[in-house]
Amino acid sequence: MKAFAHMSIKRKLIVITMLINIITLLAASVFFAANEVSSLRKAMIRDYSVLAKLIAANSVVYLTFFDSENAEKNITALSVEAHVTVAAVY
């Protein structure tokens, strides 16, 4: 603090302004990062919900007629999605 006390007014104003700018930029960056993570999660939930509804709608016929071979083919369409590791029809 002694170094700050011996600075000129001009330097003190520059330091204070720089500190305020740094704090503001950090706060904005944290907000934008949190917003991006939230948006990504919502988009993933929406995408996988649509995918699950589509697979379910296509599987109704196979389940009605106990056609396990075509139901399995319907499920293998999920192999395109990298994040889907396991899928089953009951």
Side-chain angles (χ1 to χ4, degrees):
M1 289 311 267
K2 288 184 179 183
F4 190 74
H6 295 300
M7 287 183 174
S8 66
I9 298 280
K10 180 181 177 181
R11 293 251 186 227
K12 287 179 183 178
L13 288 174
I14 290 172
V15 169
I16 290 171
T17 304
M18 291 295 287
L19 285 174
I20 291 171
N21 287 334
I22 289 171
I23 291 169
T24 304
L25 285 173
L26 285 174
S29 297
V30 168
F31 171 75
F32 285 128
N35 188 30
E36 191 65 29
V37 168
S38 175
S39 296
L40 178 64
R41 286 183 179 172
K42 288 177 185 175
M44 284 180 66
I45 289 170
R46 185 182 61 243
D47 291 345
Y48 286 121
S49 294
V50 168
L51 188 61
K53 289 176 184 176
L54 182 65
I55 293 295
N58 288 338
S59 296
V60 168
V61 174
Y62 305 133
L63 292 173
T64 303
F65 295 109
F66 301 106
D67 188 2
S68 62
E69 183 179 322
N70 285 327
E72 186 176 330
K73 287 180 185 176
N74 189 30
I75 292 295
T76 57
L78 291 173
S79 64
V80 176
E81 288 291 326
H83 296 290
V84 176
T85 57
V86 178
V89 176
Y90 295 102

